[in-house]
Amino acid sequence: MATARRGLRVVVIGGGVGGLCLAQGLRKAGVDVSVHERDDSIRGRNQGYRLHISQDGERALRECLPERVQTLLTATANSRYGFGMANYDEHLTPQWTPEMSDPRAGQADKVDAVDRVTLRKVLLAGLTDAVHFGKRYTHHEVQPDGTVAVQFADGSVDTGDVLVAADGANSGIRRARGGAEPRDLGVRTIFGRIPMTARLRAELPEILQDRFTWVIGSDEHKLGLMPMVFRTEPATASARLWPELAFEPCDDYFMSVFSMHRTATGMPDEQFLAMSGAALWEFAKARTTGWHPHLRAIMEFADVEETFPVAVRATAPIEPWEPGPVIPLGDAVHAMPPSGGVGANTALRDAATLTRELLAADRGEQPVALASERYQTEMLGYATDAVAMSLQVAKWSLKRIDFDESVLPARVAG
């Protein structure tokens, strides 16, 4: 039964992948939306480099993005993914590898991996008037008429019919409502970026350049190598397809992920998490002195300034929020380890799902509270599966994580 509500206004806190995808979907349908990001620019905090885009993630992007933005997305996507995954020990002896298949492998316009910063620039296309940087959320208040007033540290206020918490694993909105924090899995990771120079390409066998590679050492240290080879270099693509965007040049690279249990770092967390990029690579090289020369060679090409440590966390079990005008999206409600490669895809799926429900509310077909409930019911199912899969991959590859599977629902535990 239709309600009287029309002309919805949506305020999004967080200008990451999920928040921007939601804004694109809403804006495409004519809904008034504003996005507030606490960082001063799109690069902001270190959040990793390359993102795997699953079939579900690509479907969500296609659903939310206008055609011109989709064209830019396709042009700047990875061109060489689709060869599956390889798994080795530290001597590059092949090991058992989980089977991974992707029906898009032969499609010329597939989007199955992207550069994170480039993706965020793509998602900003056409939204510059709606996205506000340097805006730190402090608190919000639901008004008697059901709207939400959002206060920022600079004293400004924005008001909407819906407040979307897309502000990440450290969500201030979640904390304001007393939600549980993500669990520390005891995994410590060094994210790095390794440019694919001509010399590095010449030194490495092709199989280390064209697919997602796990190296699982016998001492429980793990290295992931994920190639990012642009279909079209981003600056070239933007100059041809959307000149006013003026993307910066970005060369091909590997994203590297070097992981271990926190007890294997040999130092307190405070020390490890404060290490510089140069110190982190020296640490990684010291831990891999007996590894294959090809792997040692890759590390010598690392961009030390683009290296940072992370303590890996996960939300389990996922707890839905009370249906109403304050709605969670992405890591704010379901943080997960990067091991499964599905965190960003789950946020994108959130964006598409929530867009559909909010558009129904905007058309007067359902109240906002029902839109929130329907979205969260669907999200709880696929996000719980995604978190469980990510945890299982982490446990398989690292052998040791701090996680009690009894907190998972019976259908995904074990």
Side-chain angles (χ1 to χ4, degrees):
M1 180 177 179
T3 71
R5 178 184 289 276
R6 295 185 64 85
L8 212 62
R9 185 167 198 280
V10 179
V11 177
V12 180
I13 305 300
V17 169
L20 291 175
C21 186
L22 173 69
Q24 286 281 3
L26 294 173
R27 171 67 73 88
K28 184 172 74 169
V31 173
D32 185 10
V33 59
S34 62
V35 180
H36 302 270
E37 167 58 50
R38 71 175 180 264
D39 292 334
D40 292 330
S41 71
I42 198 166
R43 288 194 65 89
R45 292 155 289 125
N46 288 315
Q47 295 179 290
Y49 302 104
R50 176 190 179 278
L51 293 173
H52 165 61
I53 302 296
S54 68
Q55 190 170 14
D56 285 334
E58 182 177 8
R59 186 181 300 115
L61 285 164
R62 301 288 187 194
E63 180 177 342
C64 291
L65 302 186
E67 185 174 349
R68 189 182 184 190
V69 182
Q70 289 190 46
T71 300
L72 188 60
L73 171 72
T74 301
T76 55
N78 193 59
S79 69
R80 300 180 65 184
Y81 202 70
F83 294 95
M85 182 174 75
N87 180 30
Y88 302 96
D89 67 12
E90 67 267 43
H91 307 298
L92 287 183
T93 303
Q95 305 294 306
W96 176 83
T97 306
E99 184 175 347
M100 297 176 65
S101 61
D102 189 334
R104 302 169 296 163
Q107 297 177 10
D109 63 347
K110 67 183 183 298
V111 176
D112 51 17
V114 294
D115 173 66
R116 181 188 287 268
V117 172
T118 301
L119 174 62
R120 290 184 74 191
K121 290 179 178 179
V122 169
L123 292 176
L124 274 172
L127 288 179
T128 52
D129 62 323
V131 180
H132 311 280
F133 288 97
K135 302 286 284 187
R136 185 170 63 84
Y137 161 91
T138 59
H139 62 277
H140 69 272
E141 183 177 348
V142 179
Q143 306 296 311
D145 63 356
T147 60
V148 186
V150 187
Q151 180 81 45
F152 298 95
D154 61 6
S156 61
V157 178
D158 197 0
T159 303
D161 302 286
V162 175
L163 170 61
V164 178
D167 51 344
N170 295 317
S171 171
I173 301 176
R174 184 190 64 241
R175 287 174 180 163
R177 64 181 299 278
E181 294 292 299
R183 299 164 182 260
D184 185 348
L185 300 180
V187 177
R188 300 297 177 259
T189 292
I190 300 171
F191 280 94
R193 188 176 183 279
I194 304 174
M196 283 189 185
T197 64
R199 180 182 163 196
L200 180 57
R201 290 182 193 270
E203 289 188 11
L204 289 183
E206 183 68 14
I207 198 169
L208 287 179
Q209 300 185 43
D210 64 6
R211 67 201 67 202
F212 182 170
T213 300
W214 282 124
V215 179
I216 302 176
S218 56
D219 57 358
E220 296 187 358
H221 288 77
K222 180 185 76 173
L223 175 66
L225 293 170
M226 298 132 229
M228 181 65 214
V229 180
F230 291 99
R231 183 175 283 132
T232 307
E233 190 275 320
T236 302
S238 69
R240 175 168 57 88
L241 298 170
W242 208 319
E244 56 269 38
L245 295 179
F247 285 7
E248 295 177 0
C250 186
D251 295 328
D252 301 338
Y253 64 89
F254 289 103
M255 182 174 84
S256 63
V257 184
F258 187 71
S259 303
M260 72 231 81
H261 190 266
R262 59 181 175 78
T263 57
T265 66
M267 65 185 79
D269 262 355
E270 294 77 9
Q271 181 180 350
F272 177 75
L273 296 174
M275 291 173 73
S276 67
L280 288 166
W281 274 113
E282 289 305 314
F283 172 90
K285 287 188 283 188
R287 296 304 178 94
T288 56
T289 53
W291 285 30
H292 193 282
H294 284 323
L295 300 172
R296 299 277 296 168
I298 291 175
M299 296 183 187
E300 294 298 329
F301 288 84
D303 184 343
V304 297
E305 298 300 321
E306 296 283 348
T307 306
F308 60 95
V310 169
V312 177
R313 298 181 293 165
T315 303
I318 299 170
E319 298 177 351
W321 295 15
E322 179 182 354
V326 183
I327 305 174
L329 183 148
D331 283 352
V333 66
H334 51 59
M336 61 192 77
S339 47
V342 292
N345 293 288
T346 310
L348 291 170
R349 192 168 178 180
D350 289 353
T353 304
L354 183 54
T355 295
R356 290 193 295 269
E357 296 299 339
L358 290 179
L359 292 184
D362 184 62
R363 293 190 299 266
E365 297 171 3
Q366 63 183 2
V368 166
L370 182 56
S372 173
E373 181 178 10
R374 287 168 57 90
Y375 153 70
Q376 291 194 73
T377 297
E378 184 172 345
M379 176 270 290
L380 188 63
Y382 62 72
T384 296
D385 289 341
V387 170
M389 187 273 283
S390 296
L391 289 168
Q392 288 163 358
V393 173
K395 194 170 185 178
W396 161 70
S397 58
L398 281 168
K399 314 304 180 189
R400 187 164 41 135
I401 64 174
D402 299 340
F403 177 71
D404 179 1
E405 291 188 354
S406 67
V407 304
L408 291 175
R411 70 189 181 91
V412 296

